[in-house]
Amino acid sequence: SLKKLGWQITIITTLPSENPWFDAFRDVTYDIFILNNIGPFSSYLHYTSNIISSRSPDVILVTNSADGYTMLPTLRKTFPSCAFVDYSHMEAMNWNNGGYPRLSATLDSALDYHFTASKRLRNLMNDWGVSQEKLSVAHVGIELDKWKPDAIRKAVIRAKLGYNENDKVILYSCRFVS
């Protein structure tokens, strides 16, 4: 992880939420700003600029935040020495003609680099005008040292669901979108 490599991490969130990821974020950093708790959207750029100024980051990552993408052109001009990158993990053709990846492609000139969760999404963004040189696939994964199968629990769950020990069971955890 970046933390293990010595990176100092600041997290800024923009969407109203009950923040179910807050404890997981705390495992990474205590430097967390939940902008919708601080003020209205009209104050986000001011707060974000102050946070960036006070930390002088080398890299700023935008992901899954329409507000973050909205601020991106101004932040790019205000902080020209920062690298601006984004991560897109799903397409949503029913929203904004492609979701956050479409916003990313539209704002390509304000981004130094794009990471996607799949080759399909990388190719789609390339079709939308992002050059292959600015695109890389970074697959979503798990930390194997944290998530080890528990044989006893596995047997109990299999029995409860009616599966035999030798049945092949595949679980694909995701959000389904049209």
Side-chain angles (χ1 to χ4, degrees):
S1 74
L2 295 175
K3 185 178 175 181
K4 287 180 184 175
L5 293 172
W7 286 49
Q8 294 179 354
I9 298 169
T10 298
I11 297 173
I12 301 172
T13 68
T14 57
L15 291 175
S17 170
E18 293 182 18
N19 301 302
W21 284 92
F22 190 80
D23 290 336
F25 288 166
R26 281 274 193 220
D27 289 344
V28 176
T29 183
Y30 281 93
D31 204 22
I32 301 170
F33 297 88
I34 302 170
L35 293 186
N36 67 294
N37 289 348
I38 296 173
F41 172 72
S42 59
S43 65
Y44 286 13
L45 183 60
H46 172 75
Y47 284 116
T48 301
S49 294
N50 285 340
I51 293 165
I52 293 170
S53 291
S54 68
R55 281 143 183 84
S56 301
D58 296 314
V59 180
I60 295 173
L61 169 71
V62 178
T63 186
N64 266 46
S65 172
D67 296 331
Y69 283 107
T70 299
M71 293 185 284
L72 187 57
T74 302
L75 293 174
R76 167 97 263 176
K77 288 178 186 171
T78 306
F79 302 99
S81 63
C82 290
F84 286 83
V85 301
D86 77 328
Y87 183 75
S88 297
H89 74 280
M90 64 175 243
E91 60 195 81
M93 299 310 284
N94 61 335
W95 179 70
N96 197 35
N97 196 27
Y100 293 113
R102 175 64 84 172
L103 280 173
S104 174
T106 301
L107 292 164
D108 177 52
S109 63
L111 288 158
D112 295 296
Y113 210 79
H114 307 263
F115 295 95
T116 66
S118 68
K119 289 179 184 176
R120 174 185 157 76
L121 191 50
R122 179 198 62 200
N123 293 340
L124 185 61
M125 290 181 67
N126 182 239
D127 291 345
W128 289 337
V130 179
S131 73
Q132 285 289 350
E133 293 75 32
K134 288 179 69 174
L135 285 163
S136 284
V137 175
H139 295 286
V140 176
I142 61 169
E143 295 182 45
L144 294 175
D145 58 330
K146 279 188 173 182
W147 301 98
K148 296 187 186 234
D150 179 326
I152 295 170
R153 186 167 182 228
K154 177 181 173 182
V156 169
I157 292 171
R158 281 175 163 274
K160 187 188 285 188
L161 295 174
Y163 292 104
N164 295 315
E165 183 180 332
N166 294 324
D167 289 341
K168 301 290 182 205
V169 179
I170 299 172
L171 174 65
Y172 181 68
S173 176
C174 65
R175 174 174 42 184
F176 290 101
V177 294
S178 59

